[in-house]
Amino acid sequence: MRRLILAIVCVLGLTAKAQTSWSYGNHVYTMKGTLTAEAYDKNATGVVTFTNVPSDYEEFEALYTQFLGKTPHGTAAMMPMAMEIYGRDRDEGLRCIQLISWPTNVNSVVSQLKQKYGTSQYAPANDSYHQRYLPAAVLKGAKPENAYTPQQPYTVEMKASVNKHQDLQFSGEGRVVYLYIMGDGWDTHQRSVEVILQPDKKLHQVFNCPSLYTQCKTIRGEWKGLK
């Protein structure tokens, strides 16, 4: 009996360990943290790392449904990924943003990215308003002084907001989790993100995230892009 109990414990331990890492081809993603929708903890944190931005919608969807979408911090970390994919391919990026977002969040994100990523006679390529490097501004190690070059693997660090969870009382009600994504692209060194979990749902959604597409500090040098 003792051997059986030890065997079960070992299996459970291996299972729990496996859930902290997920791979798609040669792309590796990891997640750890204590942020949950169940209870507010002012000291809760979350960390997501990834060797590469998802190559396309298929990979992004699998990553969301099978791994990162199961936690508030995993879901929040996927918005910078979706923003980067949108910069590479508008159609693919739009599908990614729609997948992980509460419906009202989609237009807010896309309308701003069109302006930040696009150029015109009013905002040419050398204009500071044109900030194609925005997705990198929340990655650990990236700062304007080093042309927003993040450490590798790419790392998104998060912590609980000072705002406690909020239960929404309307059609499609859910619980909103407020958290901060850390980043050196702004003087505050943190960006507010709201993530929602609906009753009887397993996957979270980004409810609101205007801080992620707010103008960051102007780059110094030339951005080399993300893998």
Side-chain angles (χ1 to χ4, degrees):
M1 178 62 72
R2 183 182 179 186
R3 289 182 178 179
L4 177 60
I5 294 174
L6 289 174
I8 293 174
V9 170
C10 288
V11 170
L12 291 175
L14 290 173
T15 301
K17 183 177 181 180
Q19 292 175 345
T20 64
S21 180
W22 188 88
S23 299
Y24 192 96
N26 62 352
H27 295 181
V28 180
Y29 304 85
T30 71
M31 172 174 60
K32 64 180 180 180
T34 53
L35 286 157
T36 70
E38 284 70 31
Y40 173 76
D41 177 1
K42 66 179 182 180
N43 297 315
T45 60
V47 178
V48 170
T49 73
F50 50 107
T51 56
N52 300 74
V53 174
S55 298
D56 50 30
Y57 176 79
E58 182 179 0
E59 179 178 350
F60 188 87
E61 180 185 34
L63 175 63
Y64 174 61
T65 58
Q66 298 177 30
F67 188 49
L68 292 183
K70 297 178 181 179
T71 70
H73 44 289
T75 303
M78 292 196 74
M79 184 53 74
M81 299 180 194
M83 290 168 59
E84 171 59 22
I85 295 172
Y86 184 83
R88 300 175 182 183
D89 185 304
R90 296 294 192 265
D91 292 335
E92 289 271 287
L94 175 60
R95 294 177 67 196
C96 293
I97 293 169
Q98 290 172 330
L99 177 68
I100 65 170
S101 291
W102 188 259
T104 56
N105 188 55
V106 177
N107 288 339
S108 299
V109 175
V110 173
S111 63
Q112 288 298 313
L113 293 187
K114 284 181 179 178
Q115 298 179 47
K116 296 293 196 308
Y117 290 176
T119 59
S120 69
Q121 59 178 319
Y122 304 107
N126 61 351
D127 192 291
S128 61
Y129 187 77
H130 179 75
Q131 297 192 321
R132 177 60 183 82
Y133 46 85
L134 261 175
V138 293
L139 300 182
K140 187 175 182 179
K143 57 188 68 176
E145 293 81 7
N146 65 5
Y148 288 107
T149 303
Q151 71 174 41
Q152 296 187 30
Y154 302 138
T155 302
V156 183
E157 294 183 328
M158 290 153 280
K159 67 179 183 181
S161 167
V162 295
N163 298 312
K164 296 182 178 181
H165 299 352
Q166 181 179 359
D167 292 319
L168 302 183
Q169 302 297 323
F170 57 80
S171 179
E173 67 184 58
R175 172 167 289 183
V176 176
V177 177
Y178 301 89
L179 57 84
Y180 297 128
I181 292 182
M182 314 313 293
D184 291 328
W186 300 264
D187 290 332
T188 60
H189 301 286
Q190 62 188 31
R191 301 284 87 192
S192 298
V193 178
E194 301 169 19
V195 177
I196 189 170
L197 180 64
Q198 293 179 274
D200 303 320
K201 298 288 186 179
K202 294 182 178 180
L203 299 177
H204 301 69
Q205 293 176 293
V206 178
F207 187 69
N208 198 24
C209 60
S211 288
L212 290 182
Y213 48 77
T214 298
Q215 194 84 353
C216 65
K217 294 180 180 179
T218 304
I219 195 170
R220 299 182 189 176
E222 184 177 349
W223 189 52
K224 298 179 181 179
L226 300 174
K227 294 192 300 179

Coordinates of all heavy atoms in Angstrom, one line a residue, residues 93-156:
G93 N -3.4 38.2 -37.0 CA -3.4 38.9 -35.8 C -4.8 39.2 -35.3 O -5.1 39.1 -34.1
L94 N -5.7 39.6 -36.1 CA -7.0 39.9 -35.7 C -7.7 38.7 -35.2 O -8.4 38.7 -34.1 CB -7.8 40.4 -36.9 CG -9.3 40.7 -36.7 CD1 -9.6 41.7 -35.6 CD2 -10.0 41.1 -38.0
R95 N -7.5 37.5 -35.8 CA -8.1 36.3 -35.3 C -7.6 35.9 -33.9 O -8.3 35.5 -33.1 CB -7.8 35.1 -36.3 CG -8.5 35.3 -37.6 CD -8.1 34.1 -38.5 NE -8.7 32.9 -38.1 CZ -8.2 31.7 -38.5 NH1 -7.2 31.6 -39.4 NH2 -8.8 30.6 -38.0
C96 N -6.3 36.2 -33.7 CA -5.7 35.9 -32.4 C -6.3 36.8 -31.3 O -6.6 36.4 -30.2 CB -4.2 36.1 -32.5 SG -3.3 34.8 -33.5
I97 N -6.4 38.1 -31.6 CA -7.0 39.1 -30.7 C -8.4 38.7 -30.4 O -8.8 38.8 -29.2 CB -6.9 40.5 -31.3 CG1 -5.4 40.9 -31.3 CG2 -7.6 41.5 -30.4 CD1 -5.1 42.2 -32.1
Q98 N -9.2 38.3 -31.4 CA -10.6 38.0 -31.2 C -10.7 36.7 -30.3 O -11.6 36.6 -29.5 CB -11.3 37.7 -32.5 CG -11.5 38.9 -33.4 CD -12.0 38.6 -34.7 OE1 -11.7 37.6 -35.3 NE2 -12.8 39.5 -35.3
L99 N -9.8 35.8 -30.5 CA -9.8 34.5 -29.7 C -9.7 34.7 -28.2 O -10.4 34.1 -27.5 CB -8.7 33.6 -30.2 CG -8.6 32.3 -29.5 CD1 -9.8 31.4 -29.8 CD2 -7.3 31.6 -29.9
I100 N -8.8 35.6 -27.8 CA -8.5 35.7 -26.4 C -9.2 36.9 -25.7 O -9.0 37.1 -24.5 CB -7.0 35.8 -26.1 CG1 -6.4 37.1 -26.7 CG2 -6.2 34.6 -26.7 CD1 -5.0 37.4 -26.3
S101 N -10.0 37.6 -26.5 CA -10.6 38.9 -26.0 C -12.1 38.8 -25.7 O -12.8 38.1 -26.4 CB -10.3 40.0 -26.9 OG -9.0 40.4 -27.0
W102 N -12.5 39.5 -24.7 CA -13.9 39.8 -24.5 C -14.3 40.7 -25.7 O -13.5 41.5 -26.2 CB -14.1 40.6 -23.2 CG -15.5 40.8 -22.7 CD1 -16.2 42.0 -22.9 CD2 -16.3 39.9 -22.1 NE1 -17.4 41.8 -22.3 CE2 -17.6 40.5 -21.8 CE3 -16.2 38.5 -21.6 CZ2 -18.6 39.9 -21.2 CZ3 -17.2 37.9 -21.0 CH2 -18.4 38.6 -20.8
P103 N -15.5 40.4 -26.3 CA -15.9 41.1 -27.5 C -15.6 42.6 -27.5 O -15.1 43.2 -28.6 CB -17.4 40.8 -27.6 CG -17.5 39.5 -27.0 CD -16.6 39.5 -25.8
T104 N -15.9 43.3 -26.5 CA -15.7 44.8 -26.5 C -14.3 45.2 -26.5 O -14.0 46.4 -26.8 CB -16.4 45.4 -25.3 OG1 -15.9 44.8 -24.1 CG2 -17.9 45.2 -25.3
N105 N -13.4 44.3 -26.2 CA -12.0 44.6 -26.2 C -11.3 44.6 -27.6 O -10.3 45.3 -27.8 CB -11.2 43.6 -25.3 CG -9.7 44.0 -25.1 OD1 -9.5 45.2 -24.6 ND2 -8.8 43.2 -25.4
V106 N -11.9 43.9 -28.5 CA -11.3 43.7 -29.8 C -11.1 45.0 -30.6 O -10.0 45.3 -31.0 CB -12.1 42.7 -30.6 CG1 -11.5 42.5 -32.0 CG2 -12.2 41.3 -30.0
N107 N -12.2 45.7 -30.7 CA -12.2 46.9 -31.5 C -11.2 48.0 -30.9 O -10.5 48.7 -31.6 CB -13.6 47.6 -31.7 CG -14.4 46.8 -32.6 OD1 -13.9 46.0 -33.5 ND2 -15.7 46.9 -32.5
S108 N -11.2 48.0 -29.6 CA -10.3 48.9 -28.9 C -8.8 48.6 -29.2 O -8.1 49.6 -29.5 CB -10.5 48.8 -27.3 OG -11.8 49.2 -27.0
V109 N -8.5 47.4 -29.2 CA -7.1 47.0 -29.4 C -6.7 47.3 -30.9 O -5.8 47.9 -31.2 CB -6.8 45.5 -29.1 CG1 -5.4 45.1 -29.5 CG2 -7.0 45.2 -27.6
V110 N -7.6 46.8 -31.8 CA -7.3 46.8 -33.2 C -7.2 48.3 -33.7 O -6.4 48.6 -34.5 CB -8.3 46.0 -34.0 CG1 -8.1 46.2 -35.5 CG2 -8.2 44.5 -33.7
S111 N -8.2 49.1 -33.3 CA -8.2 50.5 -33.8 C -6.9 51.2 -33.4 O -6.4 52.0 -34.2 CB -9.4 51.2 -33.2 OG -9.4 51.3 -31.8
Q112 N -6.4 50.9 -32.2 CA -5.2 51.6 -31.8 C -3.9 51.0 -32.5 O -3.0 51.8 -32.9 CB -5.0 51.4 -30.3 CG -6.0 52.3 -29.5 CD -5.8 53.7 -29.7 OE1 -4.7 54.3 -29.7 NE2 -6.9 54.5 -29.9
L113 N -3.9 49.7 -32.7 CA -2.8 49.1 -33.4 C -2.7 49.6 -34.8 O -1.6 49.7 -35.4 CB -2.8 47.6 -33.3 CG -2.7 47.0 -31.9 CD1 -2.6 45.5 -32.0 CD2 -1.4 47.5 -31.2
K114 N -3.8 49.8 -35.5 CA -3.8 50.3 -36.8 C -3.1 51.6 -36.9 O -2.3 51.9 -37.9 CB -5.3 50.4 -37.4 CG -5.9 49.1 -37.7 CD -7.3 49.4 -38.2 CE -8.1 48.1 -38.7 NZ -9.5 48.4 -39.1
Q115 N -3.3 52.4 -35.9 CA -2.6 53.7 -35.9 C -1.1 53.6 -35.5 O -0.3 54.2 -36.1 CB -3.3 54.6 -34.9 CG -4.8 54.9 -35.2 CD -5.4 55.8 -34.2 OE1 -4.9 56.8 -33.8 NE2 -6.6 55.5 -33.8
K116 N -0.9 52.8 -34.5 CA 0.5 52.6 -34.0 C 1.4 51.9 -35.0 O 2.6 52.2 -35.1 CB 0.5 51.9 -32.7 CG -0.2 52.6 -31.5 CD 0.5 53.8 -31.1 CE 0.1 54.3 -29.7 NZ -1.4 54.4 -29.5
Y117 N 0.8 51.0 -35.7 CA 1.6 50.2 -36.7 C 1.6 50.7 -38.1 O 2.5 50.4 -38.9 CB 1.1 48.7 -36.7 CG 1.3 47.9 -35.5 CD1 0.8 46.6 -35.4 CD2 2.0 48.4 -34.4 CE1 1.0 45.9 -34.2 CE2 2.2 47.7 -33.3 CZ 1.7 46.4 -33.2 OH 1.9 45.6 -32.1
G118 N 0.7 51.6 -38.4 CA 0.6 52.1 -39.7 C 1.3 53.4 -39.9 O 1.6 54.1 -38.9
T119 N 1.6 53.8 -41.1 CA 2.2 55.1 -41.4 C 1.3 55.9 -42.3 O 0.5 55.3 -43.1 CB 3.6 54.9 -42.1 OG1 3.4 54.2 -43.3 CG2 4.6 54.1 -41.2
S120 N 1.4 57.2 -42.3 CA 0.7 58.0 -43.1 C 1.4 59.4 -43.2 O 2.5 59.6 -42.6 CB -0.7 58.3 -42.5 OG -0.6 59.0 -41.3
Q121 N 0.8 60.3 -43.9 CA 1.4 61.6 -44.1 C 1.4 62.3 -42.7 O 2.2 63.2 -42.5 CB 0.6 62.5 -45.1 CG -0.8 62.7 -44.7 CD -1.6 63.6 -45.7 OE1 -1.0 64.6 -46.2 NE2 -2.8 63.2 -46.0
Y122 N 0.6 61.9 -41.8 CA 0.5 62.5 -40.5 C 1.5 61.8 -39.5 O 1.9 62.4 -38.5 CB -0.9 62.5 -39.9 CG -1.9 63.1 -40.9 CD1 -2.8 62.3 -41.6 CD2 -1.9 64.5 -41.0 CE1 -3.7 62.9 -42.5 CE2 -2.8 65.1 -41.9 CZ -3.7 64.3 -42.6 OH -4.6 64.9 -43.5
A123 N 1.7 60.5 -39.7 CA 2.7 59.8 -38.9 C 3.6 58.9 -39.7 O 3.3 57.7 -39.9 CB 1.8 58.9 -37.9
P124 N 4.6 59.5 -40.3 CA 5.5 58.7 -41.1 C 6.3 57.7 -40.3 O 6.3 57.7 -39.1 CB 6.4 59.8 -41.8 CG 6.4 60.9 -40.8 CD 5.0 60.9 -40.2
A125 N 7.1 56.9 -41.0 CA 7.8 55.8 -40.3 C 8.8 56.4 -39.2 O 9.0 55.7 -38.3 CB 8.6 55.0 -41.3
N126 N 9.3 57.6 -39.4 CA 10.3 58.1 -38.4 C 9.5 58.9 -37.3 O 10.2 59.5 -36.5 CB 11.3 58.9 -39.1 CG 10.7 60.1 -39.8 OD1 9.5 60.2 -40.0 ND2 11.6 61.0 -40.3
D127 N 8.2 58.9 -37.3 CA 7.5 59.6 -36.3 C 7.4 58.7 -35.0 O 7.2 57.5 -35.1 CB 6.1 59.9 -36.8 CG 5.3 60.9 -35.9 OD1 5.0 60.5 -34.7 OD2 5.0 62.0 -36.3
S128 N 7.6 59.4 -33.8 CA 7.6 58.6 -32.6 C 6.2 57.9 -32.3 O 6.1 57.0 -31.4 CB 7.9 59.5 -31.4 OG 7.0 60.6 -31.3
Y129 N 5.2 58.4 -32.9 CA 3.9 57.8 -32.7 C 3.8 56.4 -33.4 O 3.0 55.5 -32.9 CB 2.8 58.6 -33.3 CG 1.4 58.2 -33.0 CD1 0.8 58.4 -31.7 CD2 0.6 57.5 -34.0 CE1 -0.5 57.9 -31.4 CE2 -0.7 57.1 -33.7 CZ -1.2 57.3 -32.4 OH -2.5 56.8 -32.1
H130 N 4.6 56.2 -34.4 CA 4.7 54.9 -35.0 C 5.6 53.9 -34.2 O 6.8 54.1 -34.2 CB 5.3 55.0 -36.4 CG 5.4 53.8 -37.2 ND1 4.4 53.1 -37.8 CD2 6.5 53.0 -37.5 CE1 4.8 52.0 -38.4 NE2 6.1 51.9 -38.2
Q131 N 4.9 53.0 -33.5 CA 5.7 52.2 -32.5 C 5.4 50.7 -32.7 O 4.7 50.0 -32.0 CB 5.3 52.6 -31.1 CG 5.7 54.0 -30.7 CD 5.6 54.3 -29.3 OE1 4.7 53.9 -28.6 NE2 6.5 55.1 -28.7
R132 N 6.0 50.2 -33.8 CA 5.8 48.8 -34.1 C 6.4 47.9 -33.0 O 6.1 46.7 -32.9 CB 6.5 48.5 -35.5 CG 6.5 47.1 -35.9 CD 5.1 46.5 -36.1 NE 5.2 45.1 -36.5 CZ 5.4 44.1 -35.6 NH1 5.5 44.4 -34.3 NH2 5.5 42.9 -36.1
Y133 N 7.3 48.4 -32.2 CA 8.0 47.7 -31.1 C 7.2 47.6 -29.9 O 7.6 47.0 -28.9 CB 9.3 48.4 -30.8 CG 9.3 49.9 -30.7 CD1 8.9 50.5 -29.5 CD2 9.6 50.7 -31.8 CE1 8.9 51.9 -29.4 CE2 9.5 52.1 -31.7 CZ 9.2 52.6 -30.5 OH 9.1 54.0 -30.4
L134 N 5.9 48.1 -29.9 CA 5.1 48.0 -28.6 C 5.0 46.7 -28.0 O 5.1 46.6 -26.7 CB 3.7 48.5 -29.0 CG 3.3 50.0 -28.6 CD1 1.9 50.3 -29.1 CD2 3.5 50.2 -27.1
P135 N 4.9 45.6 -28.7 CA 4.8 44.3 -28.0 C 6.0 43.9 -27.2 O 5.9 43.2 -26.2 CB 4.6 43.3 -29.2 CG 4.0 44.1 -30.3 CD 4.7 45.4 -30.2
A136 N 7.2 44.4 -27.6 CA 8.4 44.1 -26.9 C 8.6 44.9 -25.6 O 9.4 44.6 -24.7 CB 9.6 44.4 -27.8
A137 N 7.8 46.0 -25.5 CA 8.0 47.0 -24.4 C 7.6 46.3 -23.0 O 8.0 46.9 -22.0 CB 7.2 48.2 -24.6
V138 N 6.9 45.2 -23.0 CA 6.5 44.6 -21.7 C 7.4 43.3 -21.5 O 7.1 42.6 -20.5 CB 5.0 44.2 -21.7 CG1 4.2 45.5 -21.6 CG2 4.6 43.3 -22.8
L139 N 8.3 43.0 -22.3 CA 9.2 41.9 -22.2 C 10.4 42.2 -21.3 O 11.0 43.3 -21.4 CB 9.6 41.3 -23.5 CG 8.5 40.9 -24.5 CD1 9.1 40.4 -25.8 CD2 7.6 39.9 -23.8
K140 N 10.7 41.3 -20.4 CA 11.8 41.6 -19.4 C 13.1 41.9 -20.2 O 13.5 41.2 -21.1 CB 12.0 40.3 -18.5 CG 13.0 40.6 -17.4 CD 13.0 39.4 -16.5 CE 14.0 39.6 -15.3 NZ 14.0 38.4 -14.4
G141 N 13.8 42.9 -19.7 CA 15.0 43.3 -20.3 C 14.9 44.3 -21.4 O 15.9 45.0 -21.7
A142 N 13.8 44.5 -22.0 CA 13.6 45.4 -23.1 C 13.4 46.8 -22.6 O 12.5 47.0 -21.7 CB 12.4 45.0 -24.0
K143 N 14.1 47.8 -23.1 CA 14.0 49.2 -22.7 C 14.3 50.0 -23.9 O 15.0 49.6 -24.8 CB 14.8 49.4 -21.5 CG 16.3 49.1 -21.7 CD 17.1 49.2 -20.4 CE 16.7 48.2 -19.4 NZ 17.5 48.2 -18.1
P144 N 13.9 51.3 -23.9 CA 14.2 52.1 -25.0 C 15.7 52.3 -25.3 O 16.2 52.4 -26.4 CB 13.6 53.5 -24.6 CG 13.4 53.4 -23.2 CD 13.1 52.0 -22.9
E145 N 16.5 52.2 -24.2 CA 18.0 52.4 -24.3 C 18.7 51.3 -25.1 O 19.7 51.5 -25.7 CB 18.6 52.6 -22.9 CG 18.2 53.8 -22.2 CD 16.9 53.7 -21.5 OE1 16.3 52.6 -21.5 OE2 16.4 54.7 -20.9
N146 N 18.1 50.1 -25.1 CA 18.7 49.0 -25.8 C 17.8 48.6 -27.0 O 17.9 47.4 -27.5 CB 18.9 47.8 -24.9 CG 17.7 47.1 -24.4 OD1 16.5 47.5 -24.7 ND2 17.8 46.1 -23.5
A147 N 17.1 49.6 -27.5 CA 16.2 49.4 -28.7 C 15.2 48.3 -28.5 O 14.9 47.5 -29.4 CB 17.1 49.1 -29.9
Y148 N 14.7 48.2 -27.2 CA 13.7 47.2 -26.9 C 14.1 45.8 -27.3 O 13.3 45.1 -27.9 CB 12.3 47.6 -27.5 CG 11.7 48.8 -26.8 CD1 11.7 50.0 -27.4 CD2 11.2 48.7 -25.5 CE1 11.1 51.2 -26.8 CE2 10.7 49.8 -24.9 CZ 10.6 51.0 -25.5 OH 10.1 52.1 -24.8
T149 N 15.3 45.4 -26.9 CA 15.8 44.1 -27.1 C 15.6 43.3 -25.8 O 16.3 43.6 -24.8 CB 17.3 44.1 -27.4 OG1 17.5 44.9 -28.6 CG2 17.8 42.7 -27.7
P150 N 14.7 42.3 -25.7 CA 14.4 41.6 -24.5 C 15.4 40.5 -24.3 O 16.1 40.0 -25.2 CB 13.0 41.1 -24.7 CG 12.9 40.9 -26.2 CD 13.8 42.0 -26.8
Q151 N 15.4 40.0 -23.0 CA 16.2 38.8 -22.7 C 15.6 37.6 -23.4 O 14.4 37.6 -23.7 CB 16.4 38.6 -21.2 CG 15.1 38.2 -20.5 CD 15.4 37.9 -19.0 OE1 16.1 38.6 -18.4 NE2 14.8 36.8 -18.6
Q152 N 16.3 36.5 -23.5 CA 15.7 35.3 -24.0 C 15.9 34.2 -23.0 O 17.0 34.1 -22.4 CB 16.4 34.9 -25.4 CG 16.1 36.0 -26.4 CD 16.6 35.6 -27.8 OE1 16.7 34.4 -28.1 NE2 17.0 36.5 -28.6
P153 N 15.0 33.3 -22.9 CA 13.7 33.3 -23.6 C 12.9 34.6 -23.1 O 13.1 35.1 -22.1 CB 13.0 32.0 -23.1 CG 13.6 31.7 -21.8 CD 15.0 32.2 -21.9
Y154 N 12.0 35.0 -24.0 CA 11.2 36.1 -23.7 C 10.4 35.9 -22.4 O 9.8 34.8 -22.2 CB 10.2 36.4 -24.9 CG 10.9 36.6 -26.2 CD1 10.4 36.1 -27.4 CD2 12.0 37.4 -26.3 CE1 11.0 36.3 -28.6 CE2 12.7 37.6 -27.5 CZ 12.1 37.0 -28.7 OH 12.7 37.3 -29.9
T155 N 10.3 36.9 -21.6 CA 9.7 36.7 -20.3 C 8.7 37.8 -20.0 O 9.0 39.0 -20.1 CB 10.8 36.7 -19.2 OG1 11.7 35.6 -19.4 CG2 10.1 36.5 -17.8
V156 N 7.5 37.4 -19.6 CA 6.5 38.4 -19.1 C 6.2 38.2 -17.6 O 5.8 37.1 -17.2 CB 5.1 38.2 -19.9 CG1 4.1 39.3 -19.5 CG2 5.3 38.3 -21.4

